[in-house]
Amino acid sequence: MKDKKPMKSVFKAGAITSEFIGNSIYKHQTKTSIGAHNIFLGQVRADDIKGKTVSAIEYTAYEDMANQKFHEVRESAFEKFDLTCMHIYHSLGTVKAGEICLFVFVSSPRRKVVFEALEFIVEAIKADVPVFGKEIFEDESHQWKLNS
Amino acid sequence: MLITIKYFGQIAEVTQKEEEQLEVSKGSVSGLLNTLNTKYSDLKNKDFQIAQNQELVDLDTELTGAEIALLPPFAGG
């Protein structure tokens, strides 16, 4: 059975913890039709920009549209790939360098599907979802992050 | 008609607000953009897309009265 839940918010306040990620994996032990999981973790990079180092990213979003777009990404991934379930979490607010800001988790009976599905989902999130990132430097100045 | 306009990220830095309501005459998105460019002169130096009712639109799209949002480059993930 596919885990198609109604729309819920993808956003979490602050960083996504390794406890949360570990617990998500644990919860799938009861879903024994699954043979392969694949996980993407986006981590805030301490970029060095013109001699200044990024210490954190402060995320904001056009939340209604973003949740709608996350939902569309989810629907099209279920349509394209034989997935048993899929979970997406994205941070809002401040996430320090080295912490996790995006957690995508896909599961399927077979491994090939999860490799393809994960890339599709992450690229779609980066391209289509209105999330904005303010890169905060150690001296508290900032610049706006661009996805490359 | 009265339209709610939302600003995000570096666009909100230019407008100094995250949201406002403006009385706008009927027409296309480009008409509204002209109004905003006059009101906020730094806007023309910024890169952004426009959404109406949470869908991206182009300048020729007719205003419906639904919520408009000015969205700077996406940076999710």
Side-chain angles (χ1 to χ4, degrees):
Chain A
M1 195 180 73
K2 295 201 171 178
D3 179 17
K4 274 197 183 181
K5 290 172 192 157
M7 235 170 93
K8 56 173 186 179
S9 179
V10 159
F11 292 110
K12 290 185 73 67
I16 298 163
T17 63
S18 33
E19 288 77 13
F20 181 84
I21 296 161
N23 199 36
S24 298
I25 298 168
Y26 171 73
K27 283 184 193 160
H28 287 74
Q29 290 185 355
T30 53
K31 299 189 178 184
T32 49
S33 67
I34 294 171
H37 299 299
N38 199 6
I39 286 175
F40 178 85
L41 300 174
Q43 174 167 299
V44 173
R45 202 170 45 228
D47 269 345
D48 193 50
I49 300 162
K50 293 176 193 159
K52 295 198 285 188
T53 306
V54 172
S55 63
I57 295 180
E58 194 181 300
Y59 286 103
T60 52
Y62 184 15
E63 281 191 60
D64 292 344
M65 179 174 166
N67 277 314
Q68 177 60 37
K69 290 292 165 192
F70 276 122
H71 180 71
E72 287 171 20
V73 169
R74 187 181 164 80
E75 291 290 297
S76 55
F78 270 119
E79 228 165 78
K80 278 171 102 82
F81 305 102
D82 178 26
L83 295 175
T84 311
C85 58
M86 167 188 344
H87 303 273
I88 305 173
Y89 298 96
H90 198 295
S91 295
L92 279 186
T94 304
V95 182
K96 291 181 199 146
E99 292 183 329
I100 302 299
C101 56
L102 172 62
F103 171 31
V104 182
F105 186 3
V106 291
S107 311
S108 170
R110 302 269 166 198
R111 73 183 177 284
K112 283 195 176 160
V113 172
V114 293
F115 292 128
E116 287 176 27
L118 189 66
E119 183 171 14
F120 168 83
I121 294 161
V122 173
E123 293 305 320
I125 290 170
K126 296 227 172 214
D128 299 340
V129 181
V131 172
F132 315 103
K134 189 182 190 177
E135 293 175 317
I136 317 280
F137 295 108
E138 283 160 340
D139 64 0
E140 292 181 11
S141 61
H142 74 267
Q143 72 165 25
W144 291 91
K145 178 176 176 255
L146 286 177
N147 273 349
S148 51
Chain B
M1 56 192 159
L2 196 61
I3 295 187
T4 300
I5 306 168
K6 291 192 167 184
Y7 307 108
F8 293 90
Q10 52 190 305
I11 305 302
E13 286 184 338
V14 169
T15 59
Q16 298 281 304
K17 61 184 72 143
E18 294 183 339
E19 183 175 335
E20 67 184 321
Q21 292 198 313
L22 284 183
E23 185 59 41
V24 180
S25 48
K26 279 192 176 162
S28 65
V29 168
S30 65
L32 172 62
L33 189 59
N34 287 340
T35 307
L36 294 175
N37 276 332
T38 310
K39 195 167 175 197
Y40 306 107
S41 57
D42 285 343
L43 213 50
K44 9 184 205 307
N45 307 319
K46 295 289 178 187
D47 181 17
F48 58 88
Q49 303 182 87
I50 299 175
Q52 176 168 252
N53 198 22
Q54 300 175 26
E55 287 294 336
L56 295 178
V57 291
D58 55 39
L59 293 177
D60 300 331
T61 306
E62 288 294 307
L63 294 170
T64 63
E67 182 174 281
I68 294 284
L70 270 55
L71 306 173
F74 300 167

